């Protein structure tokens, strides 16, 4: 019914509003084009054109069919390549989650470009998650691959890990903050009177964790790392930032670093993938990290203790 030639004939008649002009462009007779359209209308049991002695105009149903035709043609053109890709073990789609601590817009765009060029028929979905939300996406939300999984050891045998390294932390606050002039190390009794700026763990199925919060301390939750940094800079609150992220801001005088009574130990981070994610795309991404490829370097800039 909707073979390639029928779709092209229908689209040309709609484009020219004339059977003769459509036939001329398709190197067919007007009668052949008219017959093909009549067969199509009979098959769908719907009138697609209103015919007059001067023109041929689309009905509302015809307008809807026209809006879908180019999609069908594109689909029919690409289907042989898509089928070959599936036969070769290339995933139809890949879901990737990135820890918010490593999320970098440029790095994400570079990875998307490289994936699209290497696997043009694979649908790509990349999002970010916070803390145990990265694990949650791998285990419960149909994600195949994760960049920045907390920890070096898997919490579930369904997921394999490869270490990236450890992220060190700097305790930072604004130069005009009340604690800026206090002697170090700052004690908990001094810190708990000032709000802690945190990004809420995005996990929905695994117990959430809090990065840093003292007993009886006010917590201010923000949506992302850039907002947390802004709150540190304007004095809205205090807390830990990735050492590599904080360093240039400290050097510019936008933040100051303070020693605290209980420092935060470096956080180990890994790449992770589901055991059943054995497709070509997943393996290709794993190789990027194994080979320290330039494509993935932007994801590693906040990790100051890289695993080699």
């Amino acid at each position: 019914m909707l073979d390639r030639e029928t779709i092209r004939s229908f689209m040309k008649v709609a484009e020219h509003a004339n059977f003769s002009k459509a036939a001329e462009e398709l190197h067919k007779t007007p009668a052949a084009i008219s017959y093909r359209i009549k067969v199509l209308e009979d098959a769908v049991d719907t009138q697609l054109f209103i015919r007059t002695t001067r023109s041929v105009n689309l009905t509302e149903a015809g307008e809807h069919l026209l809006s879908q035709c180019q999609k069908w043609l594109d689909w029919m053109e690409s289907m042989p390549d898509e089928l070959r890709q599936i036969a070769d073990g290339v995933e139809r789609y890949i879901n990737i989650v990135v820890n918010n601590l490593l999320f970098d817009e440029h790095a994400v765009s570079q990875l998307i470009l490289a994936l699209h060029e290497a696997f043009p028929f694979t649908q790509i979905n990349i999002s970010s998650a916070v803390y145990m939300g990265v694990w949650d996406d791998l285990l419960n939300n149909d994600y195949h691959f994760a960049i920045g999984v907390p920890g070096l050891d898997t919490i579930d045998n369904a997921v394999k890990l490869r270490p990236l390294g450890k992220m060190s932390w700097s305790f930072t606050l604004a130069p005009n903050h009340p604690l800026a002039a206090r002697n170090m190390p700052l004690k908990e009794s001094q810190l708990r009177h000032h709000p802690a700026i945190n990004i809420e763990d995005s996990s929905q199925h695994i117990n959430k964790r809090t990065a840093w919060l003292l007993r009886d301390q006010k917590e201010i939750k923000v949506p992302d790392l850039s907002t947390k940094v802004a709150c540190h800079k304007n004095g809205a609150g205090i807390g830990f930032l990735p050492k590599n992220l904080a360093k240039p801001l400290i050097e510019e005088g936008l933040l100051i670093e303070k020693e605290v009574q209980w420092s935060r130990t470096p956080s180990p981070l890994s790449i992770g993938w589901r055991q059943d994610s054995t497709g070509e795309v997943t393996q290709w991404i794993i190789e990027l990290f194994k080979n320290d490829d330039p494509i993935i370097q932007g994801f590693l800039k906040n990790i100051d203790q890289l695993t080699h």
Side-chain angles (χ1 to χ4, degrees):
M1 177 179 69
L2 281 175
D3 59 273
R4 188 180 282 104
E5 286 305 312
T6 298
I7 290 176
R8 288 200 176 104
S9 297
F10 170 76
M11 292 176 70
K12 285 301 177 183
V13 173
E15 178 184 346
H16 295 291
N18 186 288
F19 283 105
S20 296
K21 290 182 179 178
E24 182 180 351
E25 188 165 334
L26 293 170
H27 306 290
K28 306 285 184 181
T29 65
I33 297 298
S34 179
Y35 176 75
R36 188 177 288 275
I37 297 301
K38 183 65 169 61
V39 169
L40 174 60
E41 289 181 321
D42 289 344
V44 298
D45 194 25
T46 303
Q47 185 178 359
L48 301 174
F49 291 101
I50 298 173
R51 299 160 176 83
T52 68
T53 55
R54 295 186 177 183
S55 65
V56 181
N57 297 307
L58 286 168
T59 63
E60 187 174 348
E63 291 280 3
H64 178 69
L65 177 60
L66 181 63
S67 70
Q68 303 300 314
C69 280
Q70 191 58 54
K71 296 178 186 178
W72 289 340
L73 280 179
D74 293 342
W75 180 79
M76 285 189 283
E77 293 290 341
S78 66
M79 183 50 60
D81 290 328
E82 290 187 43
L83 293 176
R84 281 194 295 272
Q85 174 176 290
I86 294 171
D88 290 340
V90 177
E91 299 94 314
R92 291 176 58 198
Y93 66 97
I94 183 79
N95 293 332
I96 302 168
V97 59
V98 183
N99 190 317
N100 74 298
L101 296 171
L102 303 185
F103 195 90
D104 178 86
E105 292 177 356
H106 179 69
V108 170
S109 68
Q110 289 293 99
L111 179 58
I112 289 173
L113 177 62
L115 282 170
H116 176 66
E117 291 177 345
F119 307 100
F121 299 106
T122 296
Q123 297 296 317
I124 304 165
N125 174 42
I126 299 182
S127 63
S128 65
V130 180
Y131 215 162
M132 296 305 290
V134 181
W135 274 111
D136 195 12
D137 281 344
L138 275 177
L139 294 174
N140 301 302
N141 295 329
D142 197 31
Y143 278 76
H144 306 93
F145 192 86
I147 302 171
V149 182
L152 300 177
D153 300 309
T154 187
I155 64 172
D156 191 297
N157 289 333
V159 174
K160 295 184 69 174
L161 298 185
R162 178 182 174 85
L164 290 175
K166 293 182 179 181
M167 177 183 292
S168 299
W169 300 92
S170 294
F171 189 87
T172 65
L173 42 83
N176 61 350
H177 193 277
L179 292 175
R182 295 296 184 93
N183 294 329
M184 297 186 289
L186 297 174
K187 299 178 181 180
E188 287 192 10
S189 58
Q190 296 171 304
L191 298 173
R192 67 166 49 97
H193 298 295
H194 304 278
I197 306 296
N198 284 326
I199 308 165
E200 184 173 11
D201 192 319
S202 61
S203 175
Q204 298 298 314
H205 303 93
I206 301 174
N207 288 339
K208 296 176 183 286
R209 297 183 184 177
T210 301
W212 179 78
L213 185 66
L214 302 174
R215 182 173 53 85
D216 297 328
Q217 184 182 25
K218 179 180 179 179
E219 180 182 32
I220 297 176
K221 294 180 180 179
V222 295
D224 50 47
L225 188 57
S226 60
T227 307
K228 176 174 165 63
V229 171
C231 288
H232 282 239
K233 287 163 59 177
N234 71 8
I238 58 177
F240 289 92
L241 291 175
K243 189 178 187 68
N244 281 0
L245 176 63
K247 184 178 179 181
L249 298 173
I250 294 169
E251 291 174 348
E252 292 178 46
L254 299 174
L255 289 173
I256 62 172
E257 183 176 19
K258 283 288 189 178
E259 182 184 349
V260 293
Q261 188 176 10
W262 304 105
S263 60
R264 187 174 176 182
T265 58
S267 299
L269 296 168
S270 304
I271 56 170
W273 60 95
R274 295 204 316 253
Q275 291 271 24
D276 59 0
S277 297
T278 58
E280 290 293 318
V281 182
T282 301
Q283 297 305 312
W284 186 82
I285 300 171
I286 292 171
E287 289 300 314
L288 290 181
F289 283 92
K290 283 184 177 179
N291 298 326
D292 203 25
D293 194 281
I295 292 171
I296 53 87
Q297 291 306 304
F299 293 113
L300 308 179
K301 63 184 183 180
N302 284 343
I303 300 178
D304 56 300
Q305 301 178 43
L306 289 167
T307 299
H308 295 288

